[in-house]
Amino acid sequence: TAPASDPATLDKIRDLARSLIVHGKRAEVQQIIKSTGATSISKLPPESYTTVWGELLKLKDEVDADASN
């Protein structure tokens, strides 16, 4: 059910990735992106948006959990 090349979705992914990188998760963010075969967020295949978004949200949950401890 991933929207075909939805720029709003790509913007959300980019914003979330940027905030995770600020929290020291650059390597993890890059790993998630590379796992799709893409070299950068702008190169993500649209069919991977849903998966990437889900992985980034999991990473955000870890960051939030770390922050609350």
Side-chain angles (χ1 to χ4, degrees):
T1 60
S5 196
D6 180 350
T9 303
L10 192 56
D11 283 346
K12 285 196 306 189
I13 290 171
R14 190 175 282 121
D15 289 346
L16 181 53
R18 192 177 295 125
S19 86
L20 289 166
I21 288 168
V22 167
H23 285 94
K25 298 292 185 182
R26 180 182 299 272
E28 292 88 338
V29 169
Q30 287 176 331
Q31 187 57 48
I32 291 167
I33 293 163
K34 286 190 176 126
S35 73
T36 69
T39 52
S40 66
I41 289 173
S42 58
K43 302 273 194 292
L44 285 172
E47 63 273 12
S48 75
Y49 288 179
T50 305
T51 305
V52 169
W53 180 248
E55 292 294 319
L56 291 173
L57 285 178
K58 279 189 224 161
L59 194 53
K60 180 184 184 303
D61 287 344
E62 287 175 32
V63 168
D64 292 346
D66 288 347
S68 67
N69 286 342

